[in-house]
Amino acid sequence: MPRRYLSWMVAAAAASKTIIEVTVVGKDRKGVVADITNFIFQNGGNIEKINQNVVRGLFGMQLEASFVQAKRKDLDAGLKDLAKKLQMEIKVHYQEPDRLRNVAILVSKEPHCIKRILAGRKKGEIKANLAVVIGSEPSLKPVADEAGIPFHSVSHADQAEAERNILDLIEKYNVDLIVLARYMRILTPNFVWRYPNRIINIHPSLLPAFPGAYAYVQAYERGAKIVGCTAHFVTEDLDQGPIICQESFKVSDSDTLDTIKKKGQELEAETLFEAVRLYLEGRLEVYWGKVLVHDKSPRGKATATTSS
């Protein structure tokens, strides 16, 4: 049996258990891995995945453990004590079975992507708890207020401080998925590595073409005949994460930069929404850097994502 199908079956079997993700960051020292893993075992957990590295003396570890019955208060208290003992930052995220996924939407000024997500939830096209909207500025607070979703504006005068504030909010709302709905700030690797395959971004080009800023301008100036957008998982490498969905449109001779942007924004909203929908339905799997989209058949057949 191919590995990718086997891993899909294992993930399905784990759906009945509570999964916790523990992230540990701090100055490198001996005994950290042993202390954390022993704590998990002593509390009845089984370690499913573990990844660790040390960069310039800074230790980082991601651990995923499953529990048939997780005692959240005991786990929280124990990990808090461990954080003090080890003098490290320890954050925990819970994935309980049969719970709506908690989604954080990060925004800046442009409303088209968040409005499509809100409309999709209202129509019943997605099932999720849109837990919080975090803005790099307060422009879209009225949109969140109208939908009854808590809004937090985080100043980016100091990027490190901004990301600490966002991390606290992600933990407070026990966020499962982070959606960058035209969030016009670059998250640092120190932030991104904590959430592997849990941050989805929409980029206004058919990646890998025209990465970075001003993608529509780049396409227009180069005379591109086909323009599109890409929904992808975010990694430490800018605009190079695994591709989930891509959509495109043809550029006519009469198109201007403004008309290209208008068509592109409409497509961005739909493409990002489709990626979010697939994630919430549990149909995405990343295998060797490629996103596989599973269908809904009992056999769990998988097909690789392709561009439109």
Side-chain angles (χ1 to χ4, degrees):
M1 180 181 292
R3 278 193 206 169
R4 66 190 189 195
Y5 299 124
L6 181 60
S7 64
W8 180 250
M9 292 170 64
V10 170
S16 61
K17 301 179 181 180
T18 294
I19 303 295
I20 74 165
E21 296 172 356
V22 180
T23 303
V24 183
V25 181
K27 187 177 180 181
D28 188 27
R29 56 177 295 174
K30 293 181 179 180
V32 176
V33 176
D35 283 349
I36 299 293
T37 53
N38 286 337
F39 174 81
I40 296 297
F41 293 138
Q42 290 166 6
N43 284 272
N46 183 54
I47 294 174
E48 305 287 348
K49 299 177 185 177
I50 187 168
N51 181 39
Q52 57 182 308
N53 56 41
V54 179
V55 179
R56 296 178 182 176
L58 184 67
F59 174 85
M61 181 176 77
Q62 293 166 330
L63 180 149
E64 186 175 292
S66 61
F67 292 79
V68 175
Q69 185 176 10
K71 297 180 180 179
R72 187 164 177 171
K73 289 184 178 179
D74 291 344
L75 291 172
D76 285 345
L79 288 171
K80 185 176 181 180
D81 289 341
L82 267 180
K84 290 180 180 178
K85 172 188 171 183
L86 298 172
Q87 296 182 330
M88 287 191 161
E89 172 195 306
I90 299 180
K91 293 187 180 295
V92 60
H93 168 253
Y94 293 86
Q95 298 182 38
E96 300 91 347
D98 304 320
R99 168 178 67 77
L100 287 178
R101 302 294 90 182
N102 295 323
V103 179
I105 305 176
L106 274 60
V107 297
S108 290
K109 288 184 177 180
E110 299 179 11
H112 54 286
C113 286
I114 185 175
K115 285 186 174 181
R116 178 63 182 96
I117 294 171
L118 294 175
R121 184 189 66 165
K122 187 173 182 179
K123 294 175 184 177
E125 296 173 323
I126 56 172
K127 294 181 179 180
N129 175 35
L130 304 184
V132 62
V133 176
I134 302 171
S136 60
E137 54 182 84
S139 299
L140 297 184
K141 185 177 186 302
V143 175
D145 289 346
E146 184 178 353
I149 303 172
F151 181 93
H152 296 267
S153 180
V154 176
S155 170
H156 281 68
D158 182 324
Q159 182 71 11
E161 179 65 24
E163 291 190 354
R164 282 194 292 270
N165 291 336
I166 296 172
L167 287 171
D168 288 342
L169 290 169
I170 297 302
E171 183 178 31
K172 175 182 177 181
Y173 290 96
N174 193 32
V175 168
D176 300 289
L177 174 65
I178 301 169
V179 180
L180 308 184
R182 296 301 287 148
Y183 181 70
M184 306 305 288
R185 295 284 180 173
I186 296 175
L187 295 171
T188 66
N190 183 52
F191 183 99
V192 171
W193 79 270
R194 301 163 188 258
Y195 305 104
N197 303 327
R198 284 176 52 201
I199 308 176
I200 296 178
N201 181 50
I202 185 70
H203 182 76
S205 80
L206 292 172
L207 292 173
F210 307 126
Y214 307 108
Y216 290 131
V217 174
Q218 293 181 62
Y220 179 72
E221 291 180 345
R222 294 288 296 275
K225 304 304 180 186
I226 297 177
V227 173
C229 57
T230 303
H232 64 95
F233 284 117
V234 176
T235 63
E236 291 92 333
D237 299 315
L238 181 65
D239 295 335
Q240 295 184 42
I243 293 171
I244 304 170
C245 303
Q246 289 184 308
E247 296 293 344
S248 63
F249 62 91
K250 291 183 177 180
V251 178
S252 68
D253 292 338
S254 61
D255 272 318
T256 64
L257 179 56
D258 287 339
T259 61
I260 289 174
K261 284 183 179 179
K262 185 176 185 301
K263 292 177 183 179
Q265 287 178 343
E266 293 172 358
L267 209 57
E268 288 169 21
E270 293 299 327
T271 305
L272 178 61
F273 178 78
E274 176 65 7
V276 170
R277 183 182 68 82
L278 291 171
Y279 182 96
L280 293 173
E281 291 178 358
R283 294 172 58 191
L284 301 179
E285 179 188 6
V286 180
Y287 183 79
W288 286 83
K290 179 182 289 187
V291 176
L292 305 176
V293 180
H294 294 266
D295 65 21
K296 297 182 179 180
S297 72
R299 298 177 67 182
K301 182 180 177 182
T303 56
T305 298
T306 57
S307 304
S308 300

